Amino acid sequence: MTNTQLPTVAAGLLDRDAGESLTDQIVRTVAARIEERLLRPGGRMPSIRAFAAAHGVSAFTVVAAYDKLVARGYLESRRGAGFFVRVRPGAPLAATPAAIEPAQQGLDVAWLVRNMFRQLPHQQMPGTGVLPAEWLDGAAVAGALRHVTRRQQDILLNYGVPQGFLPLRQQLQLKLAEVEIAAGPEQIVTTAGVTQALDMVAREFTRPGDTILVDDPAWFLMFASFAALGTRVVGVPRLADGPDLARLEELAALHQPKLYVINSVLHNPTSASLSAAKAFQVLRIAERHGITLVEDDIYCDLHPGPAVQPATRLAALDQLKHVIYLSGFSKTMAANLRVGFIAASPELARRLADRKMLQTLTTSDIGERVVHRILCEGSYRKHAERMRARLDGLRARTVRQLERLGLRIDLAQPAGMFVWADAGRDTNVLAERAMAAGLLLAPGSLFSPNQLPSRCMRLNIAAMQDAAVWRFLERELA
Amino acid sequence: MTNTQLPTVAAGLLDRDAGESLTDQIVRTVAARIEERLLRPGGRMPSIRAFAAAHGVSAFTVVAAYDKLVARGYLESRRGAGFFVRVRPGAPLAATPAAIEPAQQGLDVAWLVRNMFRQLPHQQMPGTGVLPAEWLDGAAVAGALRHVTRRQQDILLNYGVPQGFLPLRQQLQLKLAEVEIAAGPEQIVTTAGVTQALDMVAREFTRPGDTILVDDPAWFLMFASFAALGTRVVGVPRLADGPDLARLEELAALHQPKLYVINSVLHNPTSASLSAAKAFQVLRIAERHGITLVEDDIYCDLHPGPAVQPATRLAALDQLKHVIYLSGFSKTMAANLRVGFIAASPELARRLADRKMLQTLTTSDIGERVVHRILCEGSYRKHAERMRARLDGLRARTVRQLERLGLRIDLAQPAGMFVWADAGRDTNVLAERAMAAGLLLAPGSLFSPNQLPSRCMRLNIAAMQDAAVWRFLERELA
């Protein structure tokens, strides 16, 4: 009975001159016949030797093909009995749905974030927080990845060190020195992006019931991340030049918060920066109330310099005594490398490295080696300049178009990828209508820790240049 | 004054026939001269044009070299004024120390784990939990990485999806089916190793003050990880065929634990497996007391099959109703890829994917694509067989040698990489003496949630074949 299925397996279908290897031809052909039920589930396959003889190929080729078919779930190997066609456990699922998922009960953070991960065309996502892929330097990332993987194949086999790839931390020391923050490699801990850095810091400093201050508005994902830790998230109104200091002092006295998370530079969602005077006062208030400041500087490399916008980092003033500095490369290099970092006092950095070990052991070296390579190759600086110039080229024109539609935008500090636009109406309603038109908007309510309806929304000037976006806005607002 | 430094910069040192590009030669030479203080900090570099003319190279070459020197912190560029030698912010640190770090107050978990990340020779680390790198299939990992990175360079620019790379989740569906667990891709969430999976699950199910049951002995890192969440970690005595059921029932009634984390197969540190009868009783007790079972199956692919050792997975009996299944590829493929996964009910998998998003947004696609490629290429199965055969080849001989030294080992279920050996004396003392001899041992106290001194220790039979290990053991024990 061994060879009953033989004539239907792959006879006459192998082609030595094809671009495809004989092994892959066998795999493809046998798989197709199993899918089409020409080979019946549970049936025994020809022996290696019989198959090889029948098709004039080597036994080695058949072994390799059978192995792949086993790995892909088409065949199973029974010791001593041969190979059998397997009953497959369910059909493969379709790929990630491309459509925007309808919000279940109005909008919420999870809804927005989930939709940001869908594969929508970038031009139709004015609500996104990242630059379109074609703005990034894919060639540099690919080149660095090839370089890194060519050099040492066994770097991947070990765990690496919990604190992160040392040469990257040395390179980050130089980068931090450029913004006047002195931090040795022992003060730096790599993380899987700023998201993980915030999670680690919040877990280090808070217990359930503690309060964390954030700006209002601010980056929405952290509200949910902190709430999941059982902490209370309280917003400090953010004015054009930084937080409302009187309110900050009041909230500090009232809640005795453990942390205050702040973007000093290119604040998300307004793209404005902290004035030097406010930076100084924020540090004094934090010191008075024993609050640790967490400075999220993820948009660092999009900052146009102090001639256009203030550029005072809290960590530059305080030198990482009461300030923890976070940044990363998801926005300006490549999000999927998942490379971010924390800079802190030596003692705190050691504690955070231990904590990282308990949460996730180590982060992968690959991404860290790629970022290291790109940073020390010298092309990144010009890439960042190009991105800034491209944003500058779009900003004034886009703002004029928006103003023509009646939106109000404060452009005293023109920089970054976001504009924070007052639409004069509830932007939750606008976002729901946009969703129906296949466009993703980020309504102001998302950026507030109490999620109240807002007339403002965040627009990404790099991701709204499509005519469909403007048609929608004109129809709704003009 | 522009060119005062010119004669000393790189004159006569460029060689067009060298293997190194002219750009890299300039970078190397200028960097060396800055290090040696032949170019003084703060001094101005020759202009691009002057440098190019003096050395007969193109301006393009000089621009590229100056850019790299800026990126590496040797030069700084001042807009409109040219390039200047920078005062470097501190010398680079030495690499990770290779020596074993002395324990500060006796042994503790952090001490052991930190030492496991040091670059000690594998042969001198009988205490390690991983296989030596040369046991792994580095060529397959490198090949898969090349394949993945060649195909699509821009996969890295986007975030990917929080739940994980879909084709990998489809491949994992097949892998789970082999151990009789039916789980579609929508029930699987990728994680940065089992460590992150445990952290995510514990955060989903517990609040501070809650109890988590673990085996005693069990994998030590999770004790610290759970304690950091404010939970109480309580040990269930692990007997040869699984937990002490009477004690499990008592502890369940007393503490109303939320979770019980268990290795059904190749339990760490004893390498024994749960009997079918005990698996059934564990499920019944868990159901009676509303405990969610977390089955950590990280050593899955080292299991020799049911002929040698029981192979009943809790998740195979319960089909992911009250059981959460965790596994990964750090032990048998490559630790630094950081690829693990959770399989759970569809509803719980959705919640865990949202939680992952809040903790870390996404995991990197690269590792997940590499694992996917290796799994569907068909060579992994044979690689796993080779590892098992190699362990089998060492085990009996190693155990005989250990028994000759007076150690007692229960080898009723010979499998896996660990033996759990009774040394007849306090193994904390032994481990400290080993440390002084440059060897890493894992004393039994580490594996117990109450960290009491123990006469047992875990030995990794793949990492103790060096003569130095045996000299030490003979000196101490014979």
Side-chain angles (χ1 to χ4, degrees), chain A residues 340-351:
Chain A
F341 66 92
I342 303 174
S345 69
E347 195 267 325
L348 179 56
R350 202 163 39 242
R351 263 162 41 214

Side-chain angles (χ1 to χ4, degrees), chain B residues 33-44:
Chain B
R33 290 182 178 214
I34 291 172
E35 300 272 12
E36 293 157 11
R37 298 269 163 161
L38 296 175
L39 293 170
R40 60 177 197 281
R44 185 174 177 174

Side-chain angles (χ1 to χ4, degrees), chain B residues 257-314:
Chain B
K258 294 289 190 295
L259 299 173
Y260 174 22
V261 183
I262 182 168
N263 299 131
S264 311
V265 155
L266 289 176
H267 168 245
N268 179 4
T270 66
S271 277
S273 295
L274 202 58
S275 69
K278 281 226 163 158
F280 180 63
Q281 291 303 328
V282 167
L283 280 164
R284 286 168 57 103
I285 293 172
E287 195 171 2
R288 221 157 34 231
H289 294 274
I291 305 170
T292 298
L293 294 167
V294 183
E295 180 167 42
D296 170 4
D297 200 16
I298 182 69
Y299 293 100
C300 174
D301 295 328
L302 295 180
H303 192 277
V308 181
Q309 194 177 75
T312 304
R313 268 92 181 170
L314 297 167

Side-chain angles (χ1 to χ4, degrees), chain B residues 17 64 159 201 208 218 242 272 321 343 370 474:
Chain B
D17 300 324
Y159 276 101
V201 169
K321 283 186 193 63
V370 168
E474 239 157 76

Side-chain angles (χ1 to χ4, degrees), chain A residues 347-419:
Chain A
E347 195 267 325
L348 179 56
R350 202 163 39 242
R351 263 162 41 214
L352 290 169
D354 277 353
R355 174 171 290 277
K356 175 179 167 187
M357 194 169 75
L358 295 181
Q359 282 185 227
T360 186
L361 274 185
T362 57
T363 36
S364 171
D365 262 4
I366 312 176
E368 296 177 8
R369 284 173 190 259
V370 168
V371 171
H372 168 251
R373 171 82 184 165
I374 292 175
L375 288 181
C376 69
E377 272 310 277
S379 64
Y380 178 68
R381 197 176 295 268
K382 288 201 172 140
H383 162 64
E385 268 170 34
R386 275 195 303 272
M387 284 189 299
R388 289 195 295 268
R390 201 166 165 187
L391 286 171
D392 290 343
L394 285 175
R395 191 177 303 103
R397 178 160 54 84
T398 307
V399 168
R400 265 200 310 278
Q401 281 180 279
L402 290 167
E403 286 175 338
R404 208 173 299 139
L405 295 174
L407 292 158
R408 287 194 322 147
I409 292 157
D410 175 8
L411 208 66
Q413 299 182 346
M417 68 170 97
F418 301 130
V419 294

